[in-house]
Amino acid sequence: MELDTDPKNIVGSIIKASRLLDVFSNDRREVFLGDFIKETGYNKTTAYRLLQTMVSAGWLARCPSGGYRLGMRVLLLGAIARADLDLRNEALPFMRQLAEEFGDTAFLMVPGPQGAVTIETVVGRNPVRVHGVTVGSVLPYHVAAGPVVIAAFSPSIEEEVLTAHRVRLTPATTVGKADLRAKFAEVRKLGYSVSIEDYIDDVAAVAAPILDAAGAPIASLSMGGPASRFTGPLLSQVVDRVAASAKALSARMNS
C-alpha cells in the first residue's frame, strides 16, 4: 500500500509526540523536561502539554525524581511486535525439551499492562499440573517466577509494581516495598527467579528472562510444578537448564 504523505491527512500533534519518544534510548531511560525541550526544539509549554497528555494516555510515566520514562502501553506494544517474530515457534522446542526432561510444566510469558501474560504452556508427564495458569492467564508482577523475572529486568515495570497496591496471595507472597525491591535486585544479580508457594500453595517455579539485544525482557521462560520437587539437586538442575534455554532463546530472537 502506497504511503499517503498529503499534509492534510497528517496529524501534526502525533508527529510531535512521537518525537518525544525518540529522545529515549537504551542508555537514556529517564528523561527530564529540559532534555525534551533541548532535543526537540519545542517550547516549554508545548513540551509539557504533550508530556502530560502522553502520561494520561499511558505512553509515558512520571518518575519520583520528576523525569519521565516509557509507560506500560509502550511495553505492551513492544511485546505484541516481538510476538510477530514468532516467539512461540522459537520457544516451543525449548519448552518441550524442558517438559520432557523434568516432567513439569513449561510456561512462556510476555509483559502486559496488568501483569505477565501467559502465551504458551507445555505440560510434562508429571500428573500434577499448575492449575489456574493457562494460556491467557495474567499474573501479577510481584509473584511467581515468570512475572518476577520480567519485572526485575525492566526498570519501568519494577517501578510500576513498587508504587502499586500489592495483594498477598499466600503466606509466602512478598508485598513489602523494600523487600520486593531487594528481591528484584537479587533476581537481576542471579539472572533467574525462584518462587516457592508465593502465588499458589504447594506450587514452585523457576524462570529466566528472554532478553532483546539491549537487555530488556521480551518474555520469560519458566518451569512450574509441585513445591516438593523444587528442592536440592533437582532445583539446581532446573535452574541451570531453564537459564541456559532462555539464554539460547534470547540469542535466537536477536539473530
Side-chain angles (χ1 to χ4, degrees):
M1 183 177 180
E2 186 177 348
L3 179 64
D4 184 353
T5 58
D6 188 335
K8 297 193 300 295
N9 298 322
I10 303 297
V11 181
S13 58
I14 295 180
I15 297 296
K16 286 184 177 180
S18 69
R19 288 189 61 196
L20 296 177
L21 294 176
D22 290 338
V23 177
F24 291 93
S25 67
N26 292 331
D27 300 322
R28 199 179 194 182
R29 299 187 177 186
E30 181 179 348
V31 184
F32 291 84
L33 176 61
D35 299 320
F36 286 113
I37 294 171
K38 180 180 178 181
E39 294 291 334
T40 63
Y42 300 157
N43 63 48
K44 183 176 181 179
T45 300
T46 297
Y48 182 77
R49 286 178 175 174
L50 286 170
L51 289 167
Q52 294 309 110
T53 301
M54 295 177 77
V55 169
S56 178
W59 297 109
L60 296 178
R62 201 71 189 271
C63 301
S65 60
Y68 297 83
R69 55 182 169 77
L70 296 177
M72 294 298 292
R73 284 185 178 274
V74 175
L75 295 171
L76 177 59
L77 288 180
I80 294 171
R82 292 180 181 116
D84 288 340
L85 298 176
D86 222 0
L87 174 60
R88 281 189 183 91
N89 285 346
E90 291 288 353
L92 273 171
F94 294 94
M95 298 174 70
R96 290 174 180 142
Q97 187 174 3
L98 288 169
E100 181 179 352
E101 182 175 351
F102 296 105
D104 295 302
T105 304
F107 299 91
L108 183 66
M109 300 181 185
V110 297
Q114 304 300 325
V117 182
T118 307
I119 64 170
E120 191 61 84
T121 66
V122 175
V123 180
R125 62 186 177 278
N126 194 313
V128 179
R129 300 187 182 190
V130 181
H131 295 290
V133 185
T134 59
V135 173
S137 296
V138 180
L139 280 63
Y141 284 117
H142 69 294
V143 294
V148 166
V149 85
I150 289 175
F153 281 84
S154 170
S156 58
I157 293 179
E158 178 178 351
E159 285 305 313
E160 289 281 352
V161 175
L162 293 174
T163 57
H165 174 67
R166 297 171 294 279
V167 177
R168 186 182 297 279
L169 299 173
T170 75
T173 302
T174 303
V175 293
K177 185 174 182 178
D179 291 338
L180 194 56
R181 189 185 293 277
K183 182 175 183 177
F184 287 145
E186 181 69 8
V187 168
R188 281 193 297 275
K189 178 181 177 181
L190 295 173
Y192 63 85
S193 174
V194 177
S195 66
I196 307 293
E197 300 186 273
D198 69 340
Y199 180 59
I200 301 175
D201 289 330
D202 301 322
V203 170
V206 170
I210 300 166
L211 304 174
D212 65 14
I218 299 170
S220 66
L221 179 65
S222 60
M223 286 287 295
S228 60
R229 285 177 45 76
F230 284 67
T231 59
L234 180 59
L235 175 60
S236 297
Q237 293 174 26
V238 175
V239 167
D240 289 344
R241 292 289 293 115
V242 168
S245 297
K247 183 177 180 179
L249 186 51
S250 297
R252 289 181 68 90
M253 294 301 296
N254 293 314
S255 61

